[in-house]
Amino acid sequence: MFEPTSRYHGIATASLTLQDGRTVTYVRRRFLPHPGDLMSVGEQVVAPGDRLDRIAARQYGDPEQAWRIADANGALRPDDLTAVPGRRLRIAFPAGVAGSLSSGPAQS
């Protein structure tokens, strides 16, 4: 259903039948992995005016991979990661990639 590079890849779906008989399929909740379970591959220092998508483009070659940086740093509010220039961000492989301690994102 989702590309292998999506944060939602591999997460189960569920269905709900509405009162009018229509069935709605949705992706189950994605829980953040524990940052310590992810294999660190580097570090990036936030520069003035940096954005997470720009850092992801530099680090992963794809701005849509900003979620990986958020996961590696335990961010519930990703914009907070670039709010202070000089902050060091951990760059890591996502859960489920060889070398990571976790086998994948938790599913409910």
Side-chain angles (χ1 to χ4, degrees), residues 47-95:
D50 246 343
R51 294 190 336 223
L52 211 52
D53 60 333
R54 290 181 180 165
I55 294 170
R58 286 193 302 269
Q59 293 293 323
Y60 299 114
D62 182 356
E64 292 184 1
Q65 299 304 300
W67 64 271
R68 290 182 180 188
I69 299 169
D71 281 2
N73 291 278
L76 294 176
R77 295 176 46 180
D79 288 341
D80 290 350
L81 294 176
T82 56
V84 178
R87 180 176 181 167
R88 294 184 178 280
L89 299 179
R90 187 169 172 254
I91 306 299
F93 286 132

Side-chain angles (χ1 to χ4, degrees), residues 3-77:
E3 294 291 324
T5 56
S6 170
R7 76 183 89 190
Y8 301 110
H9 179 74
I11 295 182
T13 60
S15 297
L16 173 68
T17 301
L18 303 177
Q19 289 180 351
D20 64 6
R22 291 182 296 141
T23 300
V24 176
T25 301
Y26 61 94
V27 177
R28 290 193 175 270
R29 184 174 176 187
R30 176 184 181 265
F31 293 95
L32 292 177
H34 184 274
D37 290 347
L38 305 176
M39 183 177 168
S40 186
V41 295
E43 189 176 85
Q44 175 71 49
V45 177
V46 175
D50 246 343
R51 294 190 336 223
L52 211 52
D53 60 333
R54 290 181 180 165
I55 294 170
R58 286 193 302 269
Q59 293 293 323
Y60 299 114
D62 182 356
E64 292 184 1
Q65 299 304 300
W67 64 271
R68 290 182 180 188
I69 299 169
D71 281 2
N73 291 278
L76 294 176
R77 295 176 46 180

